[in-house]
Amino acid sequence: MFSRREGDRFIQASRAEIAVALPGVGFPAKVPSGAKWVSSQLVIESSGLVSDDPSAAFGIWSAEPYTRSRSVGQMAVLRVALDPESIAELAAATEPPTCARFSDRNTESCDLLDVAGRTVWKLTGSGAITLIWFDDTYRYELFGRTFVKEEALLETAEVMVPLAQLEPVSP
């Protein structure tokens, strides 16, 4: 797989390759309406090891990946990071979580939501929404383009299924 790198950290990888590299990683059970394709990449460090942050990325597309610009054909991006330290910090915290963990200079607003019983950070900036949540040892960041409705993103974040259990979908 490392031979596919060609100087880029993001390497096209199959669902099976990602599931082996990131045991227990999940993928949403539901994607926004109109999504027809998913591209998938592992993120590799120069050492050849899988990166911790991000570890994998999935593009959720309404058009065949890379046949249109990302701003038109790519509806959302799901980044997955191996982040056991943050999960341990959150579990040990005596205070409720805040937006300070993820807000940056591009964040116009941040809200903490309960989505299917888990804390989800909703960051808004430049009209786009990013949802962030933790599950097992992974941090998931779902970035939705400005044309994807917030409700669709929230539904996407509700239920994760093990990537290794997903069956290929026929066109």
Side-chain angles (χ1 to χ4, degrees), residues 145-164:
R145 302 268 179 210
T146 55
F147 57 86
V148 179
K149 294 183 188 237
E150 179 178 338
E151 297 79 27
L153 293 173
L154 291 169
E155 287 176 2
T156 300
E158 280 182 2
V159 178
M160 300 293 284
V161 295
L163 185 64

Side-chain angles (χ1 to χ4, degrees), residues 3 9-10 13 19-20 22 35 40 47 50 54 62-63 69 100 106 112 115-116 121-122 137 139 150 165:
S3 63
R9 292 182 54 218
F10 288 75
V20 167
L22 303 172
S40 53
S47 65
V50 174
S62 62
S69 73
N106 297 320
L112 289 169
V115 177
W121 286 257
K122 180 184 99 174
T137 57
R139 182 182 72 241
E150 179 178 338
Q165 293 179 4

Side-chain angles (χ1 to χ4, degrees), residues 78-145:
L78 177 65
R79 287 195 169 104
V80 182
L82 185 60
D83 196 358
E85 295 84 14
S86 291
I87 293 169
E89 285 176 25
L90 288 168
T94 56
E95 300 291 322
T98 68
C99 285
R101 175 177 294 276
F102 299 112
S103 293
D104 65 19
R105 61 187 171 87
N106 297 320
T107 302
E108 295 168 6
S109 69
C110 177
D111 298 299
L112 289 169
L113 310 173
D114 181 298
V115 177
R118 93 168 71 85
T119 300
V120 174
W121 286 257
K122 180 184 99 174
L123 289 79
T124 306
S126 300
I129 295 173
T130 300
L131 301 178
I132 301 172
W133 68 94
F134 293 88
D135 193 9
D136 195 22
T137 57
Y138 298 107
R139 182 182 72 241
Y140 296 88
E141 298 184 14
L142 179 64
F143 168 79
R145 302 268 179 210

